[in-house]
């Protein structure tokens, strides 16, 4: 099971942010932020909320990274065994789970990048319009 710091690191990395970027966004040192990702310091609900806002996700999204997908694949694993006529199939569902998790986070990253591009277009429109 992934710890909170690992989940935050995964989302931050897929969103293309450095530790320094995120630390600046929430107003703490990079060293203090690094301790959060390395699970070396406890994270308060308030700090987790700040991080989730900076990442553009809900606190629940951070907390559920991995678990929801694991539950889905556990259910699929059982169904695949029934479909194949046995409970021992050759699929590495953990690898598939990991790939799906990455794809979902990359999708979220693309949504954020699209929103950023829209904001930049509006900014340029306002500058050109003056």
């Amino acid at each position: 099971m992934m710890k909170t710091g690992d989940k935050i690191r995964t989302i931050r990395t897929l969103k293309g942010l450095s530790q320094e970027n995120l630390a600046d966004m929430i107003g703490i040192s990079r060293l203090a932020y690094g301790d959060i990702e390395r699970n070396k310091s406890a994270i308060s609900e308030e700090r987790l909320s700040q991080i989730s806002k900076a990442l553009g996700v809900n606190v629940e999204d951070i907390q559920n990274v991995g678990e929801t997908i694991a539950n889905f694949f556990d259910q699929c694993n059982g169904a695949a065994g029934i479909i194949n006529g046995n409970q021992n199939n050759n699929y590495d569902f953990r690898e598939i789970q990991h790939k799906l998790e990455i794809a979902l986070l990359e999708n979220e990253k693309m949504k954020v990048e699209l929103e950023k591009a829209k904001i930049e277009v509006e900014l340029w429109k306002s500058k050109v319009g003056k």
Side-chain angles (χ1 to χ4, degrees):
M1 186 160 116
M2 292 175 74
K3 294 184 178 182
T4 302
D6 301 320
K7 295 174 182 184
I8 292 168
R9 179 186 309 113
T10 299
I11 295 170
R12 175 191 56 77
T13 302
L14 289 172
K15 289 193 175 256
L17 297 170
S18 68
Q19 285 187 344
E20 187 173 357
N21 294 143
L22 199 50
D24 288 343
M25 293 168 78
I26 63 172
I28 63 174
S29 71
R30 195 215 47 84
L31 183 60
Y33 178 78
D35 284 346
I36 291 171
E37 282 194 1
R38 288 186 297 278
N39 299 297
K40 289 189 174 187
S41 64
I43 182 168
S44 68
E45 288 183 35
E46 181 181 345
R47 182 69 71 205
L48 186 58
S49 178
Q50 288 176 319
I51 292 170
S52 70
K53 286 178 186 172
L55 290 171
V57 298
N58 297 320
V59 170
E60 294 80 21
D61 294 334
I62 293 173
Q63 294 169 335
N64 293 330
V65 167
E67 284 82 6
T68 302
I69 297 170
N71 291 337
F72 172 76
F73 276 105
D74 286 345
Q75 292 171 5
C76 289
N77 190 8
I82 293 167
I83 292 168
N84 293 332
N86 63 39
Q87 293 298 321
N88 298 321
N89 58 54
N90 296 326
Y91 297 105
D92 183 354
F93 285 102
R94 295 295 167 198
E95 181 179 340
I96 294 169
Q97 170 190 352
H98 180 70
K99 288 179 180 180
L100 179 58
E101 188 174 314
I102 289 171
L104 290 171
L105 290 170
E106 287 175 348
N107 183 44
E108 188 63 34
K109 177 183 176 185
M110 295 303 290
K111 288 178 186 178
V112 170
E113 289 177 0
L114 176 61
E115 191 60 33
K116 179 183 172 188
K118 287 178 182 179
I119 291 169
E120 289 175 351
V121 165
E122 291 303 315
L123 176 66
W124 282 106
K125 282 181 181 179
S126 69
K127 287 183 179 182
V128 171
K130 290 185 177 180

